[in-house]
Amino acid sequence: MKKIGVLTSGGDAPGMNAAVRAVVRSAIYRGVEVYGVYHGYKGLITGNIKKLEVSDVGDIVQRGGTILYTARCEEFKTEEGRAIAIEQLKKFGIEGLVVIGGDGSFMGGVKLTQLGFPTIGIPGTIDNDIPETDFTLGFDTALNTIIDAIDKIRDTATSHERRFIIEVMGRGCGDLAMWAGLADGAESILIPETKEDLDTIVERLNRGIERGKKHNIIIVAEGVGSADEVAKAIKAKANMDTRVTVLGHVQRGGAPTAFDRVLAARMGNKAVELLLEGEKGKMIAIQNNKIVAHDILDLLTKKHEFNKNLYQLAKELSI
Ligand code: F6P
């Protein structure tokens, strides 16, 4: 393999740029040319593809977002769209592709692999919702952004002796909420993987108030519903006033943490190694601090495992 491509797809995540850099430089180090595909799968269809040199990925390791841009592409979901994509890849002489994104993006990669075009995936999403990897790229950074925001909210919550309900992202996965709740000592963590009833939430709030707590934080994963709904339910049940903060897209931006940068370097490097070894249809993962690879088709039949022990620990520590 003498020429490979790299694209980012789905929601951007801090660390994607560091991964692009790692792919480009690991390939060039091995004498392989790299082509950046712009705007995800859309760029494959429109031929928005450019050769990347070592210096094209300079000064990006610390930047959030993705220099390759990302987009949703309905056309790529059709057979005709994918046929055009393969033609474009051939036109540029590209023989393998690294796709950095979430599970939706991997589906596209699998389709290319099934058409005989080798593709390797790198899990890049703040949601941490991909099975068989302990972490996805961007999760650690988003988590730190959330914690930073909650720390600030705590200052004002304490000053006014208020209760705050904070909504975080994650799609159907509660990891951002759970890890943030544990790291920030939230009273309650509401996540889609397990049910917390309203009585328990109110009981925990009251317990805090009774022992003189000056602030209370409840974290709601967006997969459960909106923080507004929770605030209304608490008001209706216990006549308690709360303040609501929806953190929104701020969670997706910012400089990647050291953890995400190092993870990106390791995953990007491994993706190139696998492509050059002739592997295809695999996703790079980190498990017990080892970089491994899994068959994407297998992964798509599995669900990200919810860490019950962490959830229980958060509960115990917030009595
Ligand atoms: O998958 C990343 C994510 O930020 C989710 O946490 C969130 O639900 C979604 O993307 C938001 O998507 P959009 O940026 O299209 O509104």
Side-chain angles (χ1 to χ4, degrees), residues 109-230:
V110 164
K111 296 273 185 208
L112 286 179
T113 300
Q114 285 167 342
L115 290 168
F117 193 87
T119 304
I120 299 284
I122 292 180
T125 163
I126 62 164
D127 300 333
N128 212 37
D129 60 348
I130 310 277
E132 305 293 339
T133 186
D134 296 341
F135 299 107
T136 56
L137 274 185
F139 172 70
D140 184 64
T141 306
L143 181 59
N144 278 285
T145 301
I146 294 170
I147 286 163
D148 186 48
I150 297 177
D151 287 349
K152 290 185 168 115
I153 288 169
R154 276 171 92 127
D155 289 345
T156 174
T158 305
S159 307
H160 287 264
E161 299 186 43
R162 274 175 175 157
R163 292 162 279 275
F164 270 80
I165 310 200
I166 299 163
E167 184 184 312
V168 302
M169 282 186 166
R171 287 201 296 169
C173 177
D175 274 22
L176 279 173
M178 184 175 70
W179 284 68
L182 179 57
D184 237 306
E187 262 61 48
S188 291
I189 305 168
L190 278 55
I191 52 174
E193 291 86 349
T194 179
K195 198 142 183 59
E196 180 89 309
D197 62 54
L198 193 55
D199 286 338
T200 314
I201 297 168
V202 169
E203 195 185 296
R204 291 172 85 88
L205 284 175
N206 281 331
R207 218 185 299 149
I209 294 165
E210 272 160 31
R211 69 178 164 90
K213 260 196 108 173
K214 300 287 182 220
H215 63 266
N216 285 287
I217 304 283
I218 295 175
I219 303 186
V220 183
E222 65 177 357
V224 167
S226 78
D228 264 324
E229 287 161 10
V230 177

Side-chain angles (χ1 to χ4, degrees), residues 1 118-120 271-282:
M1 209 173 268
T119 304
I120 299 284
V272 171
E273 265 181 21
L274 287 189
L275 268 184
L276 299 188
E277 280 164 16
E279 290 282 5
K280 51 185 172 249
K282 296 261 163 86

